[in-house]
Amino acid sequence: MTLEETADRIRSMEIRGAGRIARAAAKALLDHSQSGTYQDLKSYRERMMVASEMLAGVRPTAVSLPNAVNLISKPLSLVKTLHEAKSGLEERAEAFITHSEQAVAKIGEIGARHIRDGDVVMTHCNSEAALQCILTAHQQGMDIEVYATEVRPRNQGHITIKTLSDAGIKTNFIVDSAARYFMKEVDLCITGADAITVNGAVINKIGTSQIALAAKEARVNFLVAAETYKFAPRTILGERILIEERPADEVLAAAVRATLPNVTVRNPTFDVTPAEYVDLIITEHGEIPPGMAYIIIKEHLQWDMDNLCIDYPYCEEE
Ligand code: RUB
């Protein structure tokens, strides 16, 4: 698959979910590097920087995407030879993919410890990290029942219920607006994240914050399963996470909209759940209260105020 094809598939949501998006970007950079012929370090760097810049902006909210691109491409500005640049980038891309897969498995092991035999778990959207917690607990012999939401307008809930059903997990499929109605039957909520800010706010699929609110009201624990590359370094600088707003067609057909001249369709893809609604964030390095997000950014993304450069993610070192 070419770089442009990967970008198109991410844009159209054929490849979706923050972790999968990040791995697809890493693979695209790896393939792009391997598929070219280069005269010198400058031409290699330029080709990879253009590719990095293009990929990183394809979906604006999932910070896993620029984080992956940054981790893979940023060190290019430090190397002195073409060989060093190319082999280094390809090694980092492969390492990112391996790390990401291992991280999801590790999160599953940690998250499963929160699930007891007989528990009813609610999840929203289709998060491989959140599902891994449920699947791991099930594999460990826990008898679990799940409430999975539909996830309008793109129906990611259909992917979730297929995975759960294939695993043999008893699953209730509900419309998004039924989440509060069923919360009284739920022991635990687990979702994924597209981005986590320095103050521990979680950005995830639209509707997540309503579920967190209902969970808080019902005193049900709300856990977030997220690899460390979902944390957003630039929120340290006060930068806000851009919430992607997708086309109106996803919600209401153009022909119907044409009959409703006074109606505007709004289609935000993600929302923000404040830290006070999140009990724990489960990462591959262990679970943390959301208030410790800064530590993850500083220690595991190797970024702090001193090396955050303004033109992130592909800026040259000062
Ligand atoms: C996907 C979504 C998922 C997170 C985490 O939204 O909100 O909960 O990306 O997923 P979309 P994962 O379908 O719009 O990409 O744990 O798989 O990274």
Side-chain angles (χ1 to χ4, degrees):
M1 207 187 307
T2 66
L3 189 88
E4 289 72 21
E5 282 166 351
T6 300
D8 282 347
R9 286 187 181 192
I10 294 173
R11 201 176 287 112
S12 68
M13 291 177 60
E14 194 179 322
I15 299 170
R16 48 144 303 283
R20 288 187 179 89
I21 289 172
R23 285 198 295 277
K27 180 73 170 64
L29 288 175
L30 174 64
D31 292 347
H32 197 61
S33 170
Q34 286 173 339
S35 66
T37 46
Y38 312 99
Q39 304 306 320
D40 52 23
L41 173 62
K42 188 167 177 289
S43 62
Y44 177 74
R45 227 185 229 160
E46 273 170 16
R47 176 172 150 95
M48 296 313 297
M49 288 302 176
V50 168
S52 299
E53 196 156 346
M54 192 273 270
L55 272 179
V58 170
R59 279 198 81 189
T61 303
V63 79
S64 55
L65 179 56
N67 274 349
V69 168
N70 188 67
L71 288 165
I72 294 164
S73 297
K74 192 177 170 201
L76 278 185
S77 56
L78 301 173
V79 295
K80 302 277 178 262
T81 68
L82 171 58
H83 174 73
E84 211 187 333
K86 187 169 178 305
S87 61
L89 182 138
E90 290 170 9
E91 274 167 28
R92 286 189 299 277
E94 277 168 353
F96 181 88
I97 295 167
T98 306
H99 166 81
S100 169
E101 287 163 353
Q102 290 170 348
V104 173
K106 186 76 195 164
I107 287 169
E109 282 169 29
I110 299 171
R113 296 196 181 118
H114 288 275
I115 302 176
R116 296 159 305 177
D117 197 33
D119 267 358
V120 176
V121 181
M122 184 177 281
T123 190
H124 182 55
C125 197
N126 178 255
S127 156
E128 61 174 351
L131 276 180
Q132 194 59 39
C133 301
I134 299 170
L135 293 170
T136 305
H138 173 71
Q139 283 153 12
Q140 290 169 352
M142 303 289 166
D143 179 22
I144 307 164
E145 183 173 342
V146 176
Y147 277 87
T149 49
E150 183 182 24
V151 195
R152 278 277 293 150
R154 294 293 297 244
N155 296 322
Q156 287 91 331
H158 290 246
I159 312 169
T160 295
I161 59 172
K162 172 89 171 78
T163 302
L164 292 168
S165 178
D166 287 351
I169 297 174
K170 185 177 175 200
T171 302
N172 304 284
F173 185 51
I174 61 172
V175 297
D176 301 326
S177 43
R180 183 166 177 262
Y181 180 86
F182 286 113
M183 192 57 77
K184 57 186 176 301
E185 294 173 25
V186 170
D187 298 298
L188 182 68
C189 294
I190 311 179
T191 73
D194 278 82
I196 298 172
T197 64
V198 68
N199 67 357
V202 171
I203 291 86
N204 193 51
K205 180 55 56 193
I206 190 79
T208 302
S209 67
Q210 288 176 174
I211 293 175
L213 192 61
K216 180 113 183 148
E217 179 196 38
R219 295 171 183 265
V220 170
N221 278 343
F222 186 89
L223 309 187
V224 172
E227 306 88 297
T228 47
Y229 52 79
K230 311 271 179 70
F231 288 70
R234 291 188 56 83
T235 57
I236 290 179
L237 298 178
E239 195 169 289
R240 300 172 80 94
I241 303 287
L242 186 66
I243 302 289
E244 175 184 4
E245 189 146 350
R246 293 190 60 88
D249 287 349
E250 290 186 350
V251 179
L252 203 59
V256 179
R257 294 204 315 278
T259 67
L260 303 166
N262 295 315
V263 173
T264 304
V265 172
R266 300 293 309 272
N267 186 18
T269 301
F270 302 99
D271 66 17
V272 182
T273 301
E276 54 267 35
Y277 294 91
V278 178
D279 290 286
L280 277 175
I281 301 173
I282 304 163
T283 79
E284 70 274 25
H285 294 293
E287 53 193 29
I288 58 154
M292 280 178 67
Y294 176 73
I295 304 292
I296 296 286
I297 294 173
K298 197 170 159 58
E299 291 185 0
H300 296 292
L301 290 169
Q302 294 138 20
W303 272 341
D304 56 28
M305 283 305 285
D306 295 335
N307 66 6
L308 271 175
C309 48
I310 296 297
D311 298 329
Y312 161 88
Y314 349 88
C315 50
E316 300 282 320
E317 291 291 303
E318 294 293 306

